[in-house]
Structures are given as C-alpha cells and as structure tokens.
Amino acid sequence: KIMDTFEIKKISDYFNKQFKSTNFSLKLDKNNNDSAEVYHNDEFLGLIYKDDEDGEIAYQFHMTILDEDLLDA
C-alpha cells in the first residue's frame, strides 16, 4: 500500500491536467507511506491516500475547509 514517487508524479500531472494548471504538486507524507500531501503553489490543500482493496487501486483526496477560511472567500 506504499505510495511511490512514480505514483506521486502521475497524480500531480493528473491534478494539473484536470485543473488546467502547472501549480499543483505532491510531496510524500512523512507520517504515512500510503499518502501524499497536495499543494497548490505553496498552499497545503489536503492529503491523497492510496487504497488497494482486492487488487484494485484507487486514490482518495481529503481536504478540510475550516469555517474561518470561508470568511476570506
């Protein structure tokens, strides 16, 4: 279930393609080897987790939005 650098590059490319950007990047999560941190420019957005169930791999993106952050929107 370990997320490797090749997967991180593929997911980063996917984010940039989907959002027509070059500003998304992923970094290995130092605390968990099955996830990576997602950034837009230098802003941390959330974590993406690798899920390998019955040989089928999926990635789940988790983003927390604080109520106080919505005040700035």
Side-chain angles (χ1 to χ4, degrees):
K1 212 167 128 161
I2 295 172
M3 191 177 299
D4 62 33
T5 54
F6 179 71
E7 288 173 300
I8 288 174
K9 170 82 169 96
K10 287 194 320 184
I11 296 167
S12 179
D13 290 348
Y14 175 81
F15 269 94
N16 283 307
K17 182 179 176 187
Q18 289 300 114
F19 295 101
K20 296 175 178 53
S21 176
T22 58
N23 299 318
F24 287 94
S25 63
L26 277 73
K27 298 177 185 174
L28 282 172
D29 183 354
K30 295 176 181 88
N31 299 317
N32 298 303
N33 61 5
D34 67 341
S35 62
E37 299 172 343
V38 179
Y39 291 86
H40 183 260
N41 295 320
D42 292 330
E43 182 79 23
F44 175 75
L45 295 180
L47 293 170
I48 191 156
Y49 294 90
K50 181 177 182 177
D51 183 22
D52 185 357
E53 189 172 315
D54 299 329
E56 187 171 305
I57 297 173
Y59 301 93
Q60 298 180 17
F61 178 55
H62 295 262
M63 179 178 176
T64 300
I65 302 170
L66 302 175
D67 187 46
E68 62 192 49
D69 291 337
L70 297 176
L71 298 174
D72 296 333

